[in-house]
PDB file of all heavy atoms in Angstrom:
ATOM      1  N   GLY H 114     -20.899 -10.307 -24.208  1.00 95.00           N
ATOM      2  CA  GLY H 114     -20.418 -10.735 -22.850  1.00 95.00           C
ATOM      3  C   GLY H 114     -21.277 -10.146 -21.727  1.00 95.00           C
ATOM      4  O   GLY H 114     -22.222  -9.447 -22.002  1.00 95.00           O
ATOM      5  N   ILE H 115     -20.782 -10.360 -20.544  1.00 97.00           N
ATOM      6  CA  ILE H 115     -21.582  -9.895 -19.357  1.00 97.00           C
ATOM      7  C   ILE H 115     -20.629  -9.135 -18.414  1.00 97.00           C
ATOM      8  O   ILE H 115     -19.444  -9.418 -18.338  1.00 97.00           O
ATOM      9  CB  ILE H 115     -22.302 -10.977 -18.555  1.00 97.00           C
ATOM     10  CG1 ILE H 115     -21.382 -12.146 -18.216  1.00 97.00           C
ATOM     11  CG2 ILE H 115     -23.439 -11.522 -19.431  1.00 97.00           C
ATOM     12  CD1 ILE H 115     -21.984 -13.209 -17.358  1.00 97.00           C
ATOM     13  N   ILE H 116     -21.182  -8.208 -17.736  1.00 98.00           N
ATOM     14  CA  ILE H 116     -20.481  -7.578 -16.582  1.00 98.00           C
ATOM     15  C   ILE H 116     -21.288  -7.879 -15.310  1.00 98.00           C
ATOM     16  O   ILE H 116     -22.508  -7.535 -15.220  1.00 98.00           O
ATOM     17  CB  ILE H 116     -20.138  -6.125 -16.762  1.00 98.00           C
ATOM     18  CG1 ILE H 116     -19.416  -5.586 -15.500  1.00 98.00           C
ATOM     19  CG2 ILE H 116     -21.428  -5.272 -17.046  1.00 98.00           C
ATOM     20  CD1 ILE H 116     -18.282  -4.724 -15.816  1.00 98.00           C
ATOM     21  N   LEU H 117     -20.670  -8.554 -14.382  1.00 98.00           N
ATOM     22  CA  LEU H 117     -21.324  -8.970 -13.176  1.00 98.00           C
ATOM     23  C   LEU H 117     -20.914  -7.919 -12.084  1.00 98.00           C
ATOM     24  O   LEU H 117     -19.756  -7.765 -11.743  1.00 98.00           O
ATOM     25  CB  LEU H 117     -20.812 -10.345 -12.692  1.00 98.00           C
ATOM     26  CG  LEU H 117     -21.256 -11.485 -13.672  1.00 98.00           C
ATOM     27  CD1 LEU H 117     -20.359 -12.725 -13.502  1.00 98.00           C
ATOM     28  CD2 LEU H 117     -22.746 -11.861 -13.450  1.00 98.00           C
ATOM     29  N   ASP H 118     -21.921  -7.198 -11.572  1.00 98.00           N
ATOM     30  CA  ASP H 118     -21.761  -6.130 -10.617  1.00 98.00           C
ATOM     31  C   ASP H 118     -22.369  -6.524  -9.319  1.00 98.00           C
ATOM     32  O   ASP H 118     -23.564  -6.690  -9.205  1.00 98.00           O
ATOM     33  CB  ASP H 118     -22.402  -4.896 -11.277  1.00 98.00           C
ATOM     34  CG  ASP H 118     -22.699  -3.753 -10.290  1.00 98.00           C
ATOM     35  OD1 ASP H 118     -22.453  -3.891  -9.090  1.00 98.00           O
ATOM     36  OD2 ASP H 118     -23.319  -2.703 -10.749  1.00 98.00           O
ATOM     37  N   GLY H 119     -21.545  -6.714  -8.291  1.00 97.00           N
ATOM     38  CA  GLY H 119     -22.061  -7.047  -6.967  1.00 97.00           C
ATOM     39  C   GLY H 119     -22.233  -8.577  -6.777  1.00 97.00           C
ATOM     40  O   GLY H 119     -22.836  -9.026  -5.876  1.00 97.00           O
ATOM     41  N   PHE H 120     -21.764  -9.354  -7.739  1.00 98.00           N
ATOM     42  CA  PHE H 120     -21.762 -10.777  -7.725  1.00 98.00           C
ATOM     43  C   PHE H 120     -20.547 -11.316  -8.383  1.00 98.00           C
ATOM     44  O   PHE H 120     -20.189 -10.762  -9.462  1.00 98.00           O
ATOM     45  CB  PHE H 120     -23.017 -11.270  -8.382  1.00 98.00           C
ATOM     46  CG  PHE H 120     -23.110 -12.790  -8.481  1.00 98.00           C
ATOM     47  CD1 PHE H 120     -23.669 -13.520  -7.513  1.00 98.00           C
ATOM     48  CD2 PHE H 120     -22.527 -13.452  -9.611  1.00 98.00           C
ATOM     49  CE1 PHE H 120     -23.748 -14.918  -7.567  1.00 98.00           C
ATOM     50  CE2 PHE H 120     -22.600 -14.855  -9.684  1.00 98.00           C
ATOM     51  CZ  PHE H 120     -23.178 -15.594  -8.683  1.00 98.00           C
ATOM     52  N   PRO H 121     -19.799 -12.359  -7.897  1.00 98.00           N
ATOM     53  CA  PRO H 121     -20.049 -13.057  -6.671  1.00 98.00           C
ATOM     54  C   PRO H 121     -19.498 -12.258  -5.450  1.00 98.00           C
ATOM     55  O   PRO H 121     -18.535 -11.530  -5.520  1.00 98.00           O
ATOM     56  CB  PRO H 121     -19.242 -14.304  -6.875  1.00 98.00           C
ATOM     57  CG  PRO H 121     -18.167 -13.961  -7.809  1.00 98.00           C
ATOM     58  CD  PRO H 121     -18.672 -12.932  -8.655  1.00 98.00           C
ATOM     59  N   ARG H 122     -20.126 -12.490  -4.325  1.00 98.00           N
ATOM     60  CA  ARG H 122     -19.832 -11.772  -3.080  1.00 98.00           C
ATOM     61  C   ARG H 122     -19.412 -12.725  -1.968  1.00 98.00           C
ATOM     62  O   ARG H 122     -19.001 -12.228  -0.862  1.00 98.00           O
ATOM     63  CB  ARG H 122     -21.110 -11.070  -2.592  1.00 98.00           C
ATOM     64  CG  ARG H 122     -21.127  -9.619  -2.835  1.00 98.00           C
ATOM     65  CD  ARG H 122     -22.476  -9.088  -2.342  1.00 98.00           C
ATOM     66  NE  ARG H 122     -22.439  -7.786  -1.887  1.00 98.00           N
ATOM     67  CZ  ARG H 122     -22.817  -6.732  -2.637  1.00 98.00           C
ATOM     68  NH1 ARG H 122     -23.094  -6.886  -3.921  1.00 98.00           N
ATOM     69  NH2 ARG H 122     -22.817  -5.517  -2.121  1.00 98.00           N
ATOM     70  N   THR H 123     -19.420 -13.980  -2.218  1.00 98.00           N
ATOM     71  CA  THR H 123     -18.892 -14.995  -1.209  1.00 98.00           C
ATOM     72  C   THR H 123     -18.194 -16.028  -2.067  1.00 98.00           C
ATOM     73  O   THR H 123     -18.429 -16.130  -3.281  1.00 98.00           O
ATOM     74  CB  THR H 123     -20.104 -15.659  -0.472  1.00 98.00           C
ATOM     75  OG1 THR H 123     -20.841 -16.414  -1.440  1.00 98.00           O
ATOM     76  CG2 THR H 123     -20.930 -14.730   0.242  1.00 98.00           C
ATOM     77  N   LEU H 124     -17.302 -16.840  -1.375  1.00 98.00           N
ATOM     78  CA  LEU H 124     -16.628 -17.865  -2.083  1.00 98.00           C
ATOM     79  C   LEU H 124     -17.634 -18.853  -2.694  1.00 98.00           C
ATOM     80  O   LEU H 124     -17.382 -19.374  -3.773  1.00 98.00           O
ATOM     81  CB  LEU H 124     -15.685 -18.600  -1.099  1.00 98.00           C
ATOM     82  CG  LEU H 124     -14.302 -18.044  -0.977  1.00 98.00           C
ATOM     83  CD1 LEU H 124     -13.493 -18.874  -0.054  1.00 98.00           C
ATOM     84  CD2 LEU H 124     -13.609 -17.865  -2.331  1.00 98.00           C
ATOM     85  N   ALA H 125     -18.673 -19.189  -1.959  1.00 98.00           N
ATOM     86  CA  ALA H 125     -19.674 -20.126  -2.531  1.00 98.00           C
ATOM     87  C   ALA H 125     -20.280 -19.634  -3.798  1.00 98.00           C
ATOM     88  O   ALA H 125     -20.475 -20.327  -4.742  1.00 98.00           O
ATOM     89  CB  ALA H 125     -20.777 -20.442  -1.505  1.00 98.00           C
ATOM     90  N   GLN H 126     -20.531 -18.293  -3.846  1.00 98.00           N
ATOM     91  CA  GLN H 126     -21.062 -17.697  -5.050  1.00 98.00           C
ATOM     92  C   GLN H 126     -20.010 -17.775  -6.186  1.00 98.00           C
ATOM     93  O   GLN H 126     -20.396 -18.018  -7.359  1.00 98.00           O
ATOM     94  CB  GLN H 126     -21.490 -16.241  -4.807  1.00 98.00           C
ATOM     95  CG  GLN H 126     -22.733 -16.076  -3.954  1.00 98.00           C
ATOM     96  CD  GLN H 126     -23.141 -14.640  -3.747  1.00 98.00           C
ATOM     97  OE1 GLN H 126     -22.742 -13.725  -4.498  1.00 98.00           O
ATOM     98  NE2 GLN H 126     -23.939 -14.423  -2.757  1.00 98.00           N
ATOM     99  N   ALA H 127     -18.787 -17.545  -5.908  1.00 98.00           N
ATOM    100  CA  ALA H 127     -17.725 -17.573  -6.879  1.00 98.00           C
ATOM    101  C   ALA H 127     -17.640 -18.984  -7.541  1.00 98.00           C
ATOM    102  O   ALA H 127     -17.545 -19.168  -8.685  1.00 98.00           O
ATOM    103  CB  ALA H 127     -16.410 -17.185  -6.340  1.00 98.00           C
ATOM    104  N   GLU H 128     -17.686 -19.990  -6.626  1.00 98.00           N
ATOM    105  CA  GLU H 128     -17.532 -21.393  -7.109  1.00 98.00           C
ATOM    106  C   GLU H 128     -18.767 -21.748  -7.968  1.00 98.00           C
ATOM    107  O   GLU H 128     -18.631 -22.353  -9.054  1.00 98.00           O
ATOM    108  CB  GLU H 128     -17.407 -22.326  -5.921  1.00 98.00           C
ATOM    109  CG  GLU H 128     -15.966 -22.309  -5.431  1.00 98.00           C
ATOM    110  CD  GLU H 128     -15.782 -22.834  -4.075  1.00 98.00           C
ATOM    111  OE1 GLU H 128     -16.759 -23.282  -3.410  1.00 98.00           O
ATOM    112  OE2 GLU H 128     -14.617 -22.826  -3.558  1.00 98.00           O
ATOM    113  N   ALA H 129     -19.986 -21.244  -7.500  1.00 98.00           N
ATOM    114  CA  ALA H 129     -21.203 -21.573  -8.247  1.00 98.00           C
ATOM    115  C   ALA H 129     -21.187 -20.854  -9.627  1.00 98.00           C
ATOM    116  O   ALA H 129     -21.549 -21.413 -10.705  1.00 98.00           O
ATOM    117  CB  ALA H 129     -22.443 -21.077  -7.480  1.00 98.00           C
ATOM    118  N   LEU H 130     -20.630 -19.620  -9.705  1.00 98.00           N
ATOM    119  CA  LEU H 130     -20.555 -18.895 -10.902  1.00 98.00           C
ATOM    120  C   LEU H 130     -19.683 -19.651 -11.881  1.00 98.00           C
ATOM    121  O   LEU H 130     -20.080 -19.837 -13.023  1.00 98.00           O
ATOM    122  CB  LEU H 130     -20.000 -17.502 -10.693  1.00 98.00           C
ATOM    123  CG  LEU H 130     -19.660 -16.746 -11.960  1.00 98.00           C
ATOM    124  CD1 LEU H 130     -20.925 -16.461 -12.775  1.00 98.00           C
ATOM    125  CD2 LEU H 130     -18.916 -15.462 -11.658  1.00 98.00           C
ATOM    126  N   GLU H 131     -18.520 -20.047 -11.459  1.00 98.00           N
ATOM    127  CA  GLU H 131     -17.595 -20.689 -12.400  1.00 98.00           C
ATOM    128  C   GLU H 131     -18.223 -22.006 -12.921  1.00 98.00           C
ATOM    129  O   GLU H 131     -18.036 -22.333 -14.131  1.00 98.00           O
ATOM    130  CB  GLU H 131     -16.265 -20.945 -11.722  1.00 98.00           C
ATOM    131  CG  GLU H 131     -15.428 -19.721 -11.435  1.00 98.00           C
ATOM    132  CD  GLU H 131     -15.383 -18.759 -12.594  1.00 98.00           C
ATOM    133  OE1 GLU H 131     -15.058 -19.143 -13.732  1.00 98.00           O
ATOM    134  OE2 GLU H 131     -15.672 -17.516 -12.439  1.00 98.00           O
ATOM    135  N   LYS H 132     -18.932 -22.730 -12.074  1.00 98.00           N
ATOM    136  CA  LYS H 132     -19.591 -23.924 -12.501  1.00 98.00           C
ATOM    137  C   LYS H 132     -20.672 -23.637 -13.551  1.00 98.00           C
ATOM    138  O   LYS H 132     -20.858 -24.249 -14.629  1.00 98.00           O
ATOM    139  CB  LYS H 132     -20.225 -24.687 -11.319  1.00 98.00           C
ATOM    140  CG  LYS H 132     -20.770 -26.032 -11.588  1.00 98.00           C
ATOM    141  CD  LYS H 132     -20.808 -26.829 -10.296  1.00 98.00           C
ATOM    142  CE  LYS H 132     -21.587 -28.129 -10.492  1.00 98.00           C
ATOM    143  NZ  LYS H 132     -23.044 -27.920 -10.348  1.00 98.00           N
ATOM    144  N   MET H 133     -21.500 -22.591 -13.263  1.00 97.00           N
ATOM    145  CA  MET H 133     -22.605 -22.200 -14.185  1.00 97.00           C
ATOM    146  C   MET H 133     -22.070 -21.752 -15.568  1.00 97.00           C
ATOM    147  O   MET H 133     -22.578 -22.125 -16.595  1.00 97.00           O
ATOM    148  CB  MET H 133     -23.440 -21.072 -13.604  1.00 97.00           C
ATOM    149  CG  MET H 133     -24.294 -21.464 -12.474  1.00 97.00           C
ATOM    150  SD  MET H 133     -25.446 -20.125 -11.996  1.00 97.00           S
ATOM    151  CE  MET H 133     -24.452 -19.014 -11.100  1.00 97.00           C
ATOM    152  N   LEU H 134     -20.932 -20.994 -15.497  1.00 97.00           N
ATOM    153  CA  LEU H 134     -20.340 -20.562 -16.782  1.00 97.00           C
ATOM    154  C   LEU H 134     -19.772 -21.726 -17.546  1.00 97.00           C
ATOM    155  O   LEU H 134     -20.013 -21.868 -18.755  1.00 97.00           O
ATOM    156  CB  LEU H 134     -19.262 -19.500 -16.542  1.00 97.00           C
ATOM    157  CG  LEU H 134     -19.771 -18.145 -16.017  1.00 97.00           C
ATOM    158  CD1 LEU H 134     -18.519 -17.234 -15.692  1.00 97.00           C
ATOM    159  CD2 LEU H 134     -20.635 -17.463 -17.080  1.00 97.00           C
ATOM    160  N   GLU H 135     -19.058 -22.607 -16.826  1.00 97.00           N
ATOM    161  CA  GLU H 135     -18.493 -23.766 -17.484  1.00 97.00           C
ATOM    162  C   GLU H 135     -19.582 -24.627 -18.154  1.00 97.00           C
ATOM    163  O   GLU H 135     -19.385 -25.061 -19.331  1.00 97.00           O
ATOM    164  CB  GLU H 135     -17.734 -24.581 -16.474  1.00 97.00           C
ATOM    165  CG  GLU H 135     -16.679 -25.499 -17.038  1.00 97.00           C
ATOM    166  CD  GLU H 135     -15.948 -26.274 -15.954  1.00 97.00           C
ATOM    167  OE1 GLU H 135     -15.629 -25.712 -14.936  1.00 97.00           O
ATOM    168  OE2 GLU H 135     -15.888 -27.521 -16.113  1.00 97.00           O
ATOM    169  N   GLU H 136     -20.665 -24.817 -17.536  1.00 96.00           N
ATOM    170  CA  GLU H 136     -21.769 -25.585 -18.087  1.00 96.00           C
ATOM    171  C   GLU H 136     -22.343 -24.990 -19.328  1.00 96.00           C
ATOM    172  O   GLU H 136     -22.932 -25.613 -20.160  1.00 96.00           O
ATOM    173  CB  GLU H 136     -22.951 -25.762 -17.029  1.00 96.00           C
ATOM    174  CG  GLU H 136     -22.639 -26.684 -15.964  1.00 96.00           C
ATOM    175  CD  GLU H 136     -23.584 -26.563 -14.721  1.00 96.00           C
ATOM    176  OE1 GLU H 136     -24.463 -25.716 -14.777  1.00 96.00           O
ATOM    177  OE2 GLU H 136     -23.373 -27.315 -13.797  1.00 96.00           O
ATOM    178  N   ARG H 137     -22.082 -23.668 -19.520  1.00 93.00           N
ATOM    179  CA  ARG H 137     -22.549 -23.001 -20.708  1.00 93.00           C
ATOM    180  C   ARG H 137     -21.389 -22.654 -21.660  1.00 93.00           C
ATOM    181  O   ARG H 137     -21.599 -21.799 -22.518  1.00 93.00           O
ATOM    182  CB  ARG H 137     -23.267 -21.689 -20.233  1.00 93.00           C
ATOM    183  CG  ARG H 137     -24.565 -21.949 -19.507  1.00 93.00           C
ATOM    184  CD  ARG H 137     -25.060 -20.797 -18.691  1.00 93.00           C
ATOM    185  NE  ARG H 137     -26.415 -21.015 -18.078  1.00 93.00           N
ATOM    186  CZ  ARG H 137     -26.525 -21.722 -16.883  1.00 93.00           C
ATOM    187  NH1 ARG H 137     -25.450 -22.216 -16.276  1.00 93.00           N
ATOM    188  NH2 ARG H 137     -27.701 -21.917 -16.385  1.00 93.00           N
ATOM    189  N   GLY H 138     -20.278 -23.340 -21.505  1.00 94.00           N
ATOM    190  CA  GLY H 138     -19.164 -23.108 -22.388  1.00 94.00           C
ATOM    191  C   GLY H 138     -18.499 -21.749 -22.221  1.00 94.00           C
ATOM    192  O   GLY H 138     -17.875 -21.245 -23.125  1.00 94.00           O
ATOM    193  N   GLU H 139     -18.576 -21.186 -21.058  1.00 96.00           N
ATOM    194  CA  GLU H 139     -18.023 -19.847 -20.835  1.00 96.00           C
ATOM    195  C   GLU H 139     -17.104 -19.889 -19.614  1.00 96.00           C
ATOM    196  O   GLU H 139     -17.074 -20.895 -18.871  1.00 96.00           O
ATOM    197  CB  GLU H 139     -19.169 -18.827 -20.537  1.00 96.00           C
ATOM    198  CG  GLU H 139     -20.090 -18.629 -21.642  1.00 96.00           C
ATOM    199  CD  GLU H 139     -19.452 -17.881 -22.857  1.00 96.00           C
ATOM    200  OE1 GLU H 139     -18.521 -17.158 -22.680  1.00 96.00           O
ATOM    201  OE2 GLU H 139     -19.954 -18.083 -23.972  1.00 96.00           O
ATOM    202  N   GLN H 140     -16.435 -18.744 -19.325  1.00 96.00           N
ATOM    203  CA  GLN H 140     -15.590 -18.598 -18.208  1.00 96.00           C
ATOM    204  C   GLN H 140     -15.469 -17.051 -17.853  1.00 96.00           C
ATOM    205  O   GLN H 140     -15.753 -16.273 -18.704  1.00 96.00           O
ATOM    206  CB  GLN H 140     -14.253 -19.169 -18.387  1.00 96.00           C
ATOM    207  CG  GLN H 140     -13.471 -18.581 -19.549  1.00 96.00           C
ATOM    208  CD  GLN H 140     -12.016 -18.953 -19.590  1.00 96.00           C
ATOM    209  OE1 GLN H 140     -11.546 -19.681 -18.789  1.00 96.00           O
ATOM    210  NE2 GLN H 140     -11.325 -18.371 -20.521  1.00 96.00           N
ATOM    211  N   THR H 141     -15.013 -16.813 -16.657  1.00 98.00           N
ATOM    212  CA  THR H 141     -14.693 -15.422 -16.295  1.00 98.00           C
ATOM    213  C   THR H 141     -13.363 -15.065 -16.878  1.00 98.00           C
ATOM    214  O   THR H 141     -12.418 -15.784 -16.769  1.00 98.00           O
ATOM    215  CB  THR H 141     -14.638 -15.277 -14.705  1.00 98.00           C
ATOM    216  OG1 THR H 141     -15.900 -15.615 -14.178  1.00 98.00           O
ATOM    217  CG2 THR H 141     -14.260 -13.851 -14.345  1.00 98.00           C
ATOM    218  N   ASP H 142     -13.326 -13.867 -17.472  1.00 98.00           N
ATOM    219  CA  ASP H 142     -12.030 -13.405 -18.021  1.00 98.00           C
ATOM    220  C   ASP H 142     -11.195 -12.647 -16.980  1.00 98.00           C
ATOM    221  O   ASP H 142     -10.046 -12.837 -16.912  1.00 98.00           O
ATOM    222  CB  ASP H 142     -12.289 -12.526 -19.308  1.00 98.00           C
ATOM    223  CG  ASP H 142     -12.858 -13.383 -20.433  1.00 98.00           C
ATOM    224  OD1 ASP H 142     -12.128 -14.179 -20.899  1.00 98.00           O
ATOM    225  OD2 ASP H 142     -13.985 -13.139 -20.809  1.00 98.00           O
ATOM    226  N   VAL H 143     -11.854 -11.775 -16.250  1.00 98.00           N
ATOM    227  CA  VAL H 143     -11.121 -10.959 -15.313  1.00 98.00           C
ATOM    228  C   VAL H 143     -12.030 -10.478 -14.188  1.00 98.00           C
ATOM    229  O   VAL H 143     -13.245 -10.190 -14.470  1.00 98.00           O
ATOM    230  CB  VAL H 143     -10.356  -9.798 -15.981  1.00 98.00           C
ATOM    231  CG1 VAL H 143     -11.339  -8.816 -16.558  1.00 98.00           C
ATOM    232  CG2 VAL H 143      -9.362  -9.080 -15.055  1.00 98.00           C
ATOM    233  N   LEU H 144     -11.496 -10.288 -13.002  1.00 98.00           N
ATOM    234  CA  LEU H 144     -12.179  -9.563 -11.885  1.00 98.00           C
ATOM    235  C   LEU H 144     -11.471  -8.215 -11.768  1.00 98.00           C
ATOM    236  O   LEU H 144     -10.254  -8.200 -11.504  1.00 98.00           O
ATOM    237  CB  LEU H 144     -12.113 -10.380 -10.639  1.00 98.00           C
ATOM    238  CG  LEU H 144     -12.771  -9.658  -9.411  1.00 98.00           C
ATOM    239  CD1 LEU H 144     -13.453 -10.740  -8.520  1.00 98.00           C
ATOM    240  CD2 LEU H 144     -11.820  -8.872  -8.617  1.00 98.00           C
ATOM    241  N   ILE H 145     -12.231  -7.231 -11.949  1.00 98.00           N
ATOM    242  CA  ILE H 145     -11.773  -5.884 -11.775  1.00 98.00           C
ATOM    243  C   ILE H 145     -12.094  -5.383 -10.320  1.00 98.00           C
ATOM    244  O   ILE H 145     -13.251  -5.417  -9.895  1.00 98.00           O
ATOM    245  CB  ILE H 145     -12.403  -4.922 -12.783  1.00 98.00           C
ATOM    246  CG1 ILE H 145     -11.730  -5.179 -14.148  1.00 98.00           C
ATOM    247  CG2 ILE H 145     -12.179  -3.458 -12.411  1.00 98.00           C
ATOM    248  CD1 ILE H 145     -12.266  -4.459 -15.234  1.00 98.00           C
ATOM    249  N   ASP H 146     -11.076  -5.016  -9.595  1.00 98.00           N
ATOM    250  CA  ASP H 146     -11.284  -4.754  -8.136  1.00 98.00           C
ATOM    251  C   ASP H 146     -11.077  -3.253  -7.912  1.00 98.00           C
ATOM    252  O   ASP H 146      -9.900  -2.767  -7.974  1.00 98.00           O
ATOM    253  CB  ASP H 146     -10.293  -5.565  -7.316  1.00 98.00           C
ATOM    254  CG  ASP H 146     -10.700  -5.706  -5.894  1.00 98.00           C
ATOM    255  OD1 ASP H 146     -11.721  -5.159  -5.462  1.00 98.00           O
ATOM    256  OD2 ASP H 146      -9.931  -6.323  -5.087  1.00 98.00           O
ATOM    257  N   LEU H 147     -12.106  -2.541  -7.625  1.00 98.00           N
ATOM    258  CA  LEU H 147     -11.992  -1.060  -7.396  1.00 98.00           C
ATOM    259  C   LEU H 147     -11.546  -0.811  -6.031  1.00 98.00           C
ATOM    260  O   LEU H 147     -12.249  -1.158  -5.072  1.00 98.00           O
ATOM    261  CB  LEU H 147     -13.390  -0.382  -7.694  1.00 98.00           C
ATOM    262  CG  LEU H 147     -13.833  -0.501  -9.138  1.00 98.00           C
ATOM    263  CD1 LEU H 147     -15.326   0.070  -9.182  1.00 98.00           C
ATOM    264  CD2 LEU H 147     -12.926   0.348 -10.019  1.00 98.00           C
ATOM    265  N   ASP H 148     -10.420  -0.110  -5.869  1.00 98.00           N
ATOM    266  CA  ASP H 148      -9.824   0.136  -4.570  1.00 98.00           C
ATOM    267  C   ASP H 148     -10.046   1.604  -4.192  1.00 98.00           C
ATOM    268  O   ASP H 148      -9.506   2.514  -4.875  1.00 98.00           O
ATOM    269  CB  ASP H 148      -8.337  -0.198  -4.701  1.00 98.00           C
ATOM    270  CG  ASP H 148      -7.635  -0.038  -3.358  1.00 98.00           C
ATOM    271  OD1 ASP H 148      -8.303  -0.110  -2.345  1.00 98.00           O
ATOM    272  OD2 ASP H 148      -6.384   0.190  -3.343  1.00 98.00           O
ATOM    273  N   VAL H 149     -10.843   1.800  -3.175  1.00 98.00           N
ATOM    274  CA  VAL H 149     -11.177   3.173  -2.709  1.00 98.00           C
ATOM    275  C   VAL H 149     -11.035   3.257  -1.191  1.00 98.00           C
ATOM    276  O   VAL H 149     -11.391   2.341  -0.501  1.00 98.00           O
ATOM    277  CB  VAL H 149     -12.672   3.513  -3.126  1.00 98.00           C
ATOM    278  CG1 VAL H 149     -13.087   4.916  -2.615  1.00 98.00           C
ATOM    279  CG2 VAL H 149     -12.825   3.470  -4.641  1.00 98.00           C
ATOM    280  N   LYS H 150     -10.472   4.385  -0.748  1.00 98.00           N
ATOM    281  CA  LYS H 150     -10.280   4.587   0.728  1.00 98.00           C
ATOM    282  C   LYS H 150     -11.644   4.561   1.465  1.00 98.00           C
ATOM    283  O   LYS H 150     -12.647   5.150   0.919  1.00 98.00           O
ATOM    284  CB  LYS H 150      -9.639   5.944   0.979  1.00 98.00           C
ATOM    285  CG  LYS H 150      -8.152   5.952   0.849  1.00 98.00           C
ATOM    286  CD  LYS H 150      -7.618   7.203   1.468  1.00 98.00           C
ATOM    287  CE  LYS H 150      -6.229   7.546   0.892  1.00 98.00           C
ATOM    288  NZ  LYS H 150      -6.097   8.888   0.568  1.00 98.00           N
TER     289      LYS H 150
END
Side-chain angles (χ1 to χ4, degrees):
I115 53 175
I116 178 137
L117 294 160
D118 161 1
F120 176 89
R122 255 177 152 95
T123 62
L124 271 183
Q126 290 181 18
E128 281 160 3
L130 170 66
E131 292 313 311
K132 187 156 172 280
M133 286 190 286
L134 289 175
E135 202 182 311
E136 285 165 1
R137 291 162 178 82
E139 297 291 335
Q140 58 165 5
T141 298
D142 292 296
V143 67
L144 178 146
I145 288 178
D146 197 4
L147 294 172
D148 184 23
V149 177
K150 277 196 203 135

